[in-house]
Amino acid sequence: MTFEPKAKKKPFPLESLLVPQVPRGNYLHVQEDKQRLQFKKFLLHRMFLVAKIQANVEKKDIAEYYEQVFQSILKQHLEEAVTGVLLIYPTSLLHILESSNGTLFQILLDYLAHENDPQYFAQEMKIIVISHNIPTRLFMQWYVSVIKVPVMYLDDVTQSQSLKEVTTEFITHIHKLSFFLFKTIKVGSKGPGDNLHQIAPDLLLPEQIIKYLCKCKEFMDPATFINMYNKPVYITFDSEVVWPAPSRF
């Protein structure tokens, strides 16, 4: 009886241990692929601002000023148009802005350039919310609405509610109003105009909440936000920690 020699096993390739068989990516590549699919050239962000305004300032001057700022920024950041809505109350304003990170950064820098100017129309500006990498815009262009008729309220909710409750009410009202305008306003129109208090009175945010948020120290002002944005991040890895600590002679 003869036995056939067993076939020798092929050596396991060393390359399979060194090179991963499954292609791997990172979070940045995933975001870039999403932008390519949506034909976007930059990540889209949404920012909510509140501020007090001087009583003697013409409301149309505020709108014209922001339009000039947007045009100036557009020359540096091409195809990064600003969309959103500016609600001008009798003594305060609420501003929703949608654009790239660089454009929103320039808008905050413009405020800082006039922060110490007593004649500047906006004072005590606060950043309430910044939503990063939003999937789509809620506004097709930038609209302005002047709230001419003051809305009367029976009680001041800011006196009986906590900051968390007031902030929740603020975000709820704003998102409902934003979706209402998204469904109502047609592309190319002038927007809600100055009759927003008649079109959607229940969706309008009470001005007392805006003034309350302007005073809250829990929210960042543009200067604090920009300083934090420009501050470098230092991360100490475990491999950098040596024990015992090095000493100098």
Side-chain angles (χ1 to χ4, degrees):
M1 179 179 294
T2 59
F3 295 91
E4 296 181 359
K6 295 182 179 180
K8 296 182 178 181
K9 295 182 179 181
K10 295 182 179 180
F12 195 77
L14 183 60
E15 291 79 3
S16 61
L17 296 176
L18 301 178
V19 182
Q21 300 299 315
V22 180
R24 299 181 180 274
N26 54 38
Y27 185 72
L28 177 60
H29 294 161
V30 174
Q31 296 300 321
E32 290 177 345
D33 291 339
K34 288 183 179 180
Q35 299 304 314
R36 295 189 189 99
L37 293 175
Q38 298 177 4
F39 301 99
K40 293 182 180 179
K41 296 185 178 180
F42 55 88
L43 295 179
L44 191 60
H45 309 280
R46 183 181 297 120
M47 181 169 60
F48 297 80
L49 299 174
V50 295
K52 294 182 180 180
I53 59 176
Q54 298 181 5
N56 57 349
V57 177
E58 292 290 337
K59 305 303 185 291
K60 64 177 182 179
D61 294 340
I62 299 177
E64 293 176 356
Y65 176 83
Y66 275 115
E67 290 178 354
Q68 295 176 1
V69 172
F70 296 159
Q71 291 297 327
S72 177
I73 296 176
L74 191 60
K75 295 179 181 178
Q76 302 176 2
H77 301 268
L78 299 177
E79 301 182 6
E80 299 182 12
V82 177
T83 59
V85 62
L86 172 64
L87 303 181
I88 305 177
Y89 288 79
T91 60
S92 61
L93 63 83
L94 167 63
H95 208 173
I96 305 175
L97 299 163
E98 300 173 334
S99 189
S100 67
N101 187 57
T103 300
L104 298 181
F105 189 80
Q106 292 296 325
I107 294 174
L108 296 178
L109 287 178
D110 177 79
Y111 170 79
L112 289 183
H114 303 86
E115 185 178 19
N116 297 325
D117 183 4
Q119 302 300 325
Y120 188 62
F121 65 88
Q123 304 291 334
E124 300 183 30
M125 180 176 289
K126 291 294 179 63
I127 303 172
I128 307 302
V129 181
I130 297 182
S131 302
H132 297 285
N133 193 21
I134 57 178
T136 184
R137 296 176 185 264
L138 283 177
F139 306 93
M140 296 299 102
Q141 58 192 66
W142 185 72
Y143 306 102
V144 180
S145 181
V146 178
I147 312 301
K148 294 183 178 180
V149 179
V151 183
M152 303 301 296
Y153 303 95
L154 297 178
D155 56 348
D156 188 354
V157 296
T158 61
Q159 301 295 328
S160 58
Q161 295 180 348
S162 64
L163 175 60
K164 181 179 180 181
E165 292 173 336
V166 175
T167 306
T168 302
E169 183 176 354
F170 170 84
I171 297 176
T172 302
H173 270 80
I174 295 307
H175 276 84
K176 288 183 179 180
L177 178 62
S178 300
F179 280 110
F180 172 80
L181 297 177
F182 175 76
K183 296 178 181 179
T184 305
I185 301 178
K186 297 181 180 180
V187 179
S189 64
K190 295 183 179 180
D194 297 339
N195 298 322
L196 191 57
H197 60 280
Q198 298 177 352
I199 301 175
D202 297 336
L203 300 180
L204 274 181
L205 191 72
E207 186 180 17
Q208 59 193 8
I209 293 182
I210 299 178
K211 298 170 66 175
Y212 172 80
L213 295 177
C214 290
K215 298 179 181 179
C216 291
K217 298 181 180 180
E218 287 79 1
F219 296 104
M220 288 189 181
D221 57 274
T224 304
F225 176 82
I226 291 177
N227 291 334
M228 184 185 68
Y229 182 88
N230 291 328
K231 185 178 180 180
V233 179
Y234 295 99
I235 301 177
T236 303
F237 296 97
D238 293 340
S239 59
E240 298 177 0
V241 179
V242 181
W243 183 261
S247 59
R248 297 182 181 180
F249 296 96

